[in-house]
Amino acid sequence: MNNNRVKNGTMDLSYISLIGALWYIPIFTVIYIGIFLIFGSGELDNLSYMSVGLNSNRIFMLVMGIIIGGGFIKWAIGLGVTRKQFHKANIYSGAMMSVALTITMIVLGLIIGLLPFVGTENIQHNLDMHPVMNLITVALQVYLAYLAGSLIGIGFYKNGWFGALAIVITVVCNFLSEALDPFLVNALGLAEGAGILITVIAVIIVLIIVNRYFIKDIAIKI
Amino acid sequence: MVNVEFRDVDLRIRKEVILQDVNLTFEPGKIYGLLGRNGAGKTTLLSLIATYRKVTSGTLTVAGENPYENEDIMPLVDFLHQEDYSEESTTVEDYLKLSKRYKSSFDTDYALSLLDEYNINLKKQMMELSRGQQAAVDASLGLATMSPVVLFDEVTNGMDAPSREKFYSQVLNAKNRENRIIVLSTHIVSEMDYLFDEVIIIHHGKVLVDEPVDEFLERGYQVTGNASDIDAYSKDKRVVKARTLGPTKAAAILGRLSDEDASLMEEMNLTYSVMRMQDLFINMTEDRSGKEHTHEQQ
């Protein structure tokens, strides 16, 4: 029964993200195609649908994280879900959506890429691992953005100081993966991008722990 | 059977003391009236049971266990309070399904029968309903979850008089009432007093009264009779309200009626009646510093 509550929470939070994605993806696609129709692929050839989409997924998931983190905790507690169960549902839902959104963008990228007037180059130059590892890294970056958004949402729900702290943590986490990549690649002799993958995984673990800490004793406002 | 117990519970938010030294026991089969002025701490008290907040010190138990973050206990409690549904696009029907998914004890047929009394259209989104209808949905869902502890915080706000009457009747006839604790926090004491088995008054964060209704009503009484006799009878008593009509006077007196008082009243030919719960509540929670203790109305 208790695991059901985590499962139900995961499904419900994913449904909310899905509704958001159903708005986001068409709007993004229309804007992308519109820009290429206006400016032409000559100017913007380095912007493929997939590469731009995978980057903007991060922004979308950051926003969804903020909305869900701060906006649904009261709803969950009201339904008899504990803070811990909500936290679990939130991280599972974020993970599911990150994977789903990444796959969707790749599939749509392949379809949109058939259009003669869109960009073709991938701007993810800093990922030079096996393509599967590159995709895993991109999906994890999207997940990291979700967790960062969730932290900001929960932080501001808790109080302004925690919200501000969440923003600081988010900014640091964002810089960290890019900044540490060359250092890790040189030190461990890995392919370019492996440092990002390692750092992103580490930061995700940190964000999951900090999210849990923020939510642990959060007071529900009425 | 699920009991709710507060033992020496304090709640401080930052440095402010919100609740102090709260000792209460809620038992199944009873309807509790939780009364208090604005800001007295009623909602906060209920939010502790619903684990919206954590107690600062003392012990709060539901079914013998600390409810906070307790996944077995939290579903036993339902806390219904005013919600802002102005942007809620979920339909009433979906709300029922949601409740059923999270609370296995939720009785959908019972919920439908309760909602039917308010003529609520199940296909409508919550934001399309009037405030009174939204409150009716909350009230119906609260009763239909069949949770052993149901906390209604000003749930009738926004309901019109007929809807409130329906709600009161639904509470009295609540399914499995004998095994459930129902707490009604309200300002509308005059309408709901007949529902209560026990009265709890919170004043400035402390429990001022916690007793059965009969006992509570013995805390004050009203005497009516000749004005001069009333004045003589009440000269050393705490008169909280008095009304005069010609030679007749009625005085509301705080304090229990002793045998001596009863005989004196008989001698003076004064008539006794019970003080209304609302009057008792108002007078007991009135902050009297710098104010007259007696209100004379001519």
Side-chain angles (χ1 to χ4, degrees), chain A residues 2-165:
Chain A
N2 299 328
N3 286 335
N4 271 351
R5 238 170 257 129
V6 176
K7 190 179 153 195
N8 286 339
T10 305
M11 298 314 291
D12 287 334
L13 296 182
S14 300
Y15 177 74
I16 292 154
S17 294
L18 181 68
I19 297 294
L22 289 177
W23 282 96
Y24 154 67
I25 294 172
I27 290 170
F28 170 78
T29 305
V30 167
I31 290 172
Y32 178 83
I33 292 173
I35 286 172
F36 273 85
L37 286 174
I38 294 165
F39 297 105
S41 59
E43 293 287 322
L44 306 167
D45 193 45
N46 61 340
L47 299 176
S48 72
Y49 180 89
M50 199 188 298
S51 63
V52 179
L54 291 175
N55 275 320
S56 61
N57 278 357
R58 286 200 241 172
I59 298 165
F60 167 72
M61 286 298 274
L62 178 86
V63 173
M64 288 315 299
I66 293 171
I67 292 170
I68 289 174
F72 287 86
I73 177 77
K74 182 181 170 189
W75 167 84
I77 302 289
L79 287 167
V81 176
T82 65
R83 289 157 182 80
K84 190 177 180 181
Q85 287 172 330
F86 175 76
H87 170 69
K88 281 185 184 173
N90 191 25
I91 60 169
Y92 294 159
S93 151
M96 278 169 54
M97 279 309 294
S98 300
V99 172
L101 204 56
T102 304
I103 292 170
T104 305
M105 274 298 170
I106 291 166
V107 172
L108 284 175
L110 293 172
I111 297 166
I112 302 280
L114 297 173
L115 295 172
F117 53 85
V118 295
T120 54
E121 282 185 31
N122 195 331
I123 54 168
Q124 311 270 356
H125 294 304
N126 51 2
L127 297 178
D128 199 20
M129 299 175 288
H130 186 278
V132 175
M133 295 305 284
N134 287 347
L135 286 177
I136 290 172
T137 307
V138 169
L140 287 174
Q141 283 176 320
V142 173
Y143 186 37
L144 188 151
Y146 180 81
L147 292 172
S150 172
L151 191 70
I152 294 170
I154 293 165
F156 276 108
Y157 187 86
K158 207 169 162 76
N159 68 46
W161 288 110
F162 275 92
L165 179 63

Side-chain angles (χ1 to χ4, degrees), chain B residues 221-231 233 243-245 247-253 265-266 268-274:
Chain B
Y221 58 96
Q222 190 167 292
V223 280
T224 311
N226 183 282
S228 55
D229 291 340
I230 292 288
D231 289 339
Y233 173 81
R243 279 172 296 176
T244 308
L245 184 65
T248 306
K249 190 171 182 176
I253 294 169
M265 279 170 60
E266 207 173 324
M268 294 174 139
N269 208 19
L270 303 179
T271 314
Y272 163 89
S273 60
V274 177

Side-chain angles (χ1 to χ4, degrees), chain B residues 3 78 93 118 132 144 182 209 214 218 240 242-243 249 281 284 298:
Chain B
N3 275 27
D78 257 305
E93 199 171 34
Y118 298 104
I182 297 177
V209 171
D214 296 346
E218 286 172 9
V240 290
R243 279 172 296 176
K249 190 171 182 176
F281 161 65
M284 289 183 73
Q298 297 292 326

Side-chain angles (χ1 to χ4, degrees), chain B residues 78-133:
Chain B
D78 257 305
F79 182 23
L80 289 307
H81 48 81
Q82 275 188 294
E83 286 279 4
D84 178 11
Y85 290 112
S86 56
E87 292 176 26
E88 185 55 73
S89 58
T90 309
T91 62
V92 178
E93 199 171 34
D94 288 341
Y95 254 93
L96 298 186
K97 289 177 186 164
L98 187 75
S99 301
K100 182 67 187 167
R101 280 200 302 123
Y102 282 88
K103 307 223 169 183
S104 52
S105 60
F106 186 80
D107 187 334
T108 306
D109 291 337
Y110 182 36
L112 289 172
S113 71
L114 295 172
L115 285 168
D116 190 47
E117 289 187 42
Y118 298 104
N119 294 319
I120 304 278
N121 182 347
L122 301 179
K123 301 285 178 197
K124 276 198 168 183
Q125 296 176 331
M126 287 298 282
M127 63 184 179
E128 292 173 335
L129 301 177
S130 69
R131 271 190 74 177
Q133 288 175 316

Side-chain angles (χ1 to χ4, degrees), chain B residues 37 203-204 238-240 282-296:
Chain B
R37 297 290 179 102
H203 193 50
H204 294 316
R238 188 174 164 191
V239 178
V240 290
I282 291 170
N283 286 298
M284 289 183 73
T285 55
E286 197 157 28
D287 289 322
R288 294 170 183 281
S289 51
K291 290 182 186 172
E292 285 293 321
H293 282 229
T294 305
H295 306 279
E296 288 280 351

